[in-house]
Amino acid sequence: MPEEAEFQSSQNHPATEARTNAEELLGQSALIRVCSVPELASVIFSGANQATLVACALVCSSWKEPALDELWKHLESILPLFRLLFNAKALLQGGREYYQHLNPKDAISSVRNADWERFSYYARRVRTINIEPGGLRLFHVNKALRLVVASIDYPFGPSFLPHVRKVKWIACCPACQALMLRFTSSSTVDLELGLKSVSLIGSLRELAPDLRELALRMTEPTPVGSLEDPLSRWISSLRHLTTLWLPPYYLSKTIVAAAGELRELRELKIMADPSVRPDEEGKEMEFRPDTFPTLRILECNLSLPRAVQLLQPSPRVEALESLYLDCSGHDNQSVSALTHLLGQSGLQLREISLILFLDRRTSAESFGPVNVDVLYSLAPCHNLVSLRLAHSFPMTLTDDDVRWMGTKWKKLKTLVLCIDPDTDRLITPEMGTSIFTLALFAELLPNLSHLGLYFRNRDVVRFSGNLHPQHQFKNLRTLQVGFSSIPGGRSGELAFLLVSLCCLPAPTIDTAQPAWHPTAPHSNGHRFDSWRYISDIMDLAIRTKAFSGSTMV
């Protein structure tokens, strides 16, 4: 019995279980031969978890390299790398006082005898590294360790990660930002960072000259100041850049002009934290003649007057395929002017997202719901596949409005209309769209995959009992209800009605509040629980529909 118990204990060990799983999954001789081809093994291992990859690396020599490549391909922290150099765990667990006062000599000694061959063996496999602000805690309080790591004489080149393709480094501490230079290489094509130091620009320009995507993120307005000239020269040097993300307060004419000269730039995002509205004084996005020749996707935080000024008919605007505008401080007349302009000049648009929340300082009496005419003014945009509108009040659609959309936008796959109103304003029971319009949507826009509507709660839902009506959504996967209450309070009948209008599987009910919403998150516990209860009933309705369908066949 002791031997049996010992054997059973060894079989229950996590490493043993992981290896057993790998052997069961890949134990067949034919599959072993397939996995001996590195290219095929890489594809197969890409779907495995970390425990399975570790086990697969131990199976045989032909599996070791592709399994380790996949295991180290994506890093969410730099600690796995530095554990190869020194006892990072001891530093982390030694208490703040211990590693805050670690002197340079002790830090140097911790890496002097490091096995750099072993470090390089794993580091060369990294393709993506993602460092969020909390991922550098060890270095925030340890100045000595920061200095040592930044000045390490690495025997295999200037970069710790010679083949890294994507670097996301969102660090608040300027010294920790400097560490990023050791983790960027000439292979890097996608860079996302917070930039606060002029000195970094010159180094990055040399280290990563072939960037395809560049995102500069800030969580608070930072004057461009001395960054303007070196940043514009850096942008001008990135001749193959296809995607550029800038904060609005970097929109000096010099920087905009530099971006406009890029001949391969397809996507320009000018976005900020939604809770921070930067001062637009002296900052202007503009389409001058012969600029932005290949721009197809534009995302901006702009006031409505600035947006209208920017989107005046021009070859650049007419070529846009995707437009995302986050505007504030407007009236409904300004919104209509904007959508009429898009209907005239944005004939190639396939995706439109307009965030049109009212200024929080605006009184409730001054403005009301946005008029449905804003949809009719977009009628010339026949290629629309996605339309999203957000406003401080719900939008009300009639049956005639739905019929009109069914004739104009036959390619539409995503439709989200004012589902998250400002709950600090007066939302009356008459506002919103009737739940019964869903039958019309299913008939006239059956290819919708994502539908978001604010349902008025005065309707009383009665399910007819027919789970297989003639018209059903073919591809609906998400029904976004936002801040809607349960129409009429009839949860059971509503669940069966929703399932009856959809081909299986039934859609997911989404009640999440978007990140860009102007108000603080509301608990809305009762509303959330009510929709979750409907989701539970839909599971029963799905089984009933599936069974009734099979018996009909």
Side-chain angles (χ1 to χ4, degrees):
M1 288 299 294
E3 293 180 357
E4 292 180 8
E6 182 178 353
F7 174 78
Q8 184 65 35
S9 175
S10 67
Q11 295 301 300
N12 291 332
H13 191 278
T16 304
E17 291 180 0
R19 184 162 183 163
T20 301
N21 292 337
E23 291 171 348
E24 290 176 355
L25 179 65
L26 305 172
Q28 299 88 346
S29 58
L31 194 51
I32 290 178
R33 289 196 297 273
V34 169
C35 289
S36 297
V37 180
E39 293 80 6
L40 296 178
S42 177
V43 174
I44 294 173
F45 292 150
S46 64
N49 58 34
Q50 290 189 353
T52 301
L53 289 172
V54 171
C56 289
L58 300 174
V59 171
C60 61
S61 58
S62 62
W63 288 14
K64 180 179 179 180
E65 292 301 313
L68 288 178
D69 284 344
E70 193 63 38
L71 184 64
W72 284 84
K73 182 181 290 185
H74 307 289
L75 290 184
E76 297 293 330
S77 169
I78 59 176
L79 283 181
L81 288 168
F82 282 99
R83 286 194 179 102
L84 301 171
L85 299 179
F86 54 83
N87 190 349
K89 183 177 181 180
L91 290 176
L92 284 171
Q93 295 181 346
R96 178 184 179 92
E97 182 178 354
Y98 170 74
Y99 56 82
Q100 185 176 11
H101 297 98
L102 181 69
N103 62 60
K105 290 185 178 180
D106 291 338
I108 291 172
S109 66
S110 66
V111 297
R112 178 175 295 168
N113 299 318
D115 187 346
W116 290 109
E117 290 279 357
R118 179 169 175 257
F119 181 90
S120 175
Y121 177 74
Y122 293 103
R124 62 182 171 82
R125 305 175 190 274
V126 179
R127 297 297 182 270
T128 302
I129 186 166
N130 182 2
I131 305 299
E132 298 290 348
L136 296 169
R137 180 170 60 91
L138 176 64
F139 300 93
H140 286 165
V141 294
N142 193 338
K143 181 178 179 180
L145 196 58
R146 279 201 309 265
L147 294 174
V148 169
V149 171
S151 60
I152 285 176
D153 184 16
Y154 185 49
F156 295 97
S159 173
F160 290 148
L161 310 177
H163 304 300
V164 66
R165 304 278 294 173
K166 181 176 181 179
V167 177
K168 180 179 180 181
W169 195 282
I170 310 299
C172 301
C173 171
C176 289
Q177 289 182 13
L179 287 177
M180 178 199 60
L181 299 177
R182 305 307 303 268
F183 296 88
T184 307
S185 75
S186 58
S187 299
T188 304
V189 295
D190 187 345
L191 181 61
E192 182 177 343
L193 72 153
L195 186 64
K196 294 185 178 181
S197 173
V198 177
S199 61
L200 289 181
I201 294 179
S203 300
L204 287 170
R205 185 175 176 179
E206 295 179 5
L207 283 172
D210 296 320
L211 288 178
R212 301 299 191 272
E213 300 184 23
L214 174 62
L216 302 181
R217 290 179 177 268
M218 295 290 180
T219 56
E220 59 184 25
T222 302
V224 66
S226 58
L227 284 173
E228 181 175 354
D229 183 57
L231 180 57
S232 60
R233 284 190 280 110
W234 183 27
I235 292 174
S236 296
S237 71
L238 301 173
R239 309 311 301 172
H240 300 295
L241 200 67
T242 61
T243 300
L244 178 62
W245 187 313
L246 293 173
Y249 30 88
Y250 278 12
L251 289 183
S252 70
K253 290 186 176 182
T254 304
I255 293 176
V256 172
E261 295 300 320
L262 299 175
R263 315 316 289 178
E264 298 181 21
L265 188 69
R266 286 186 53 84
E267 183 174 355
L268 178 61
K269 299 182 180 182
I270 308 168
M271 305 300 293
D273 187 310
S275 64
V276 179
R277 288 287 175 181
D279 183 8
E280 291 185 331
E281 187 67 30
K283 310 296 186 296
E284 184 174 353
M285 175 63 200
E286 59 180 348
F287 291 132
R288 294 186 298 174
D290 301 322
T291 61
F292 299 99
T294 59
L295 190 66
R296 297 296 180 267
I297 302 172
L298 177 64
E299 300 189 17
C300 289
N301 286 84
L302 293 173
S303 64
L304 267 173
R306 289 285 179 91
V308 171
Q309 179 182 358
L310 173 66
L311 297 172
Q312 292 297 316
S314 70
R316 299 289 75 79
V317 176
E318 293 169 2
L320 290 177
E321 297 175 1
S322 179
L323 178 66
Y324 179 108
L325 289 178
D326 187 348
C327 306
S328 67
H330 61 82
D331 55 47
N332 289 341
Q333 185 176 358
S334 299
V335 173
S336 297
L338 174 63
T339 53
H340 276 288
L341 182 61
L342 293 179
Q344 295 172 6
S345 59
L347 301 183
Q348 301 302 317
L349 284 170
R350 293 170 52 82
E351 300 178 348
I352 298 177
S353 295
L354 302 177
I355 313 303
L356 303 169
F357 283 103
L358 302 173
D359 194 310
R360 298 305 308 283
R361 296 167 294 183
T362 304
S363 65
E365 294 77 16
S366 301
F367 301 100
V370 65
N371 196 295
V372 73
D373 287 345
V374 301
L375 299 182
Y376 287 80
S377 61
L378 295 173
C381 302
H382 296 294
N383 295 319
L384 274 184
V385 296
S386 176
L387 175 61
R388 297 172 182 266
L389 298 180
H391 192 268
S392 297
F393 290 93
M395 176 176 284
T396 300
L397 298 178
T398 65
D399 290 353
D400 288 340
D401 297 328
V402 179
R403 292 189 182 95
W404 175 86
M405 283 191 283
T407 62
K408 296 297 182 181
W409 298 325
K410 295 183 180 297
K411 301 177 182 179
L412 205 61
K413 294 183 178 180
T414 297
L415 179 66
V416 181
L417 299 176
C418 309
I419 62 171
D420 300 293
D422 187 345
T423 53
D424 291 338
R425 300 179 184 273
L426 178 61
I427 310 299
T428 65
E430 291 74 23
M431 293 181 181
T433 299
S434 170
I435 192 72
F436 300 114
T437 59
L438 287 178
L440 269 180
F441 276 109
E443 176 184 352
L444 301 172
L445 293 167
N447 293 316
L448 282 173
S449 59
H450 189 130
L451 177 60
L453 298 172
Y454 182 92
F455 297 114
R456 64 188 184 206
N457 61 8
R458 70 172 184 172
D459 295 325
V460 178
V461 178
R462 291 186 176 86
F463 175 55
S464 66
N466 181 11
L467 281 170
H468 303 276
Q470 179 181 358
H471 301 291
Q472 302 181 35
F473 290 107
K474 297 177 181 178
N475 301 304
L476 191 63
R477 294 295 175 262
T478 303
L479 179 62
Q480 201 168 352
V481 298
F483 291 167
S484 303
S485 299
I486 305 299
R490 293 175 176 263
S491 301
E493 297 205 45
L494 178 57
F496 274 84
L497 174 64
L498 294 177
V499 169
S500 72
L501 293 173
C502 303
C503 295
L504 300 181
T508 300
I509 304 297
D510 184 359
T511 61
Q513 178 174 321
W516 39 256
H517 198 271
T519 60
H522 292 268
S523 61
N524 285 308
H526 176 69
R527 178 186 61 84
F528 176 80
D529 291 341
S530 298
W531 283 108
R532 185 172 58 181
Y533 177 58
I534 287 179
S535 296
D536 294 339
I537 301 177
M538 287 175 66
D539 292 337
L540 171 62
I542 291 169
R543 294 194 296 270
T544 304
K545 182 170 184 174
F547 176 76
S548 62
S550 63
T551 55
M552 289 173 64
V553 175

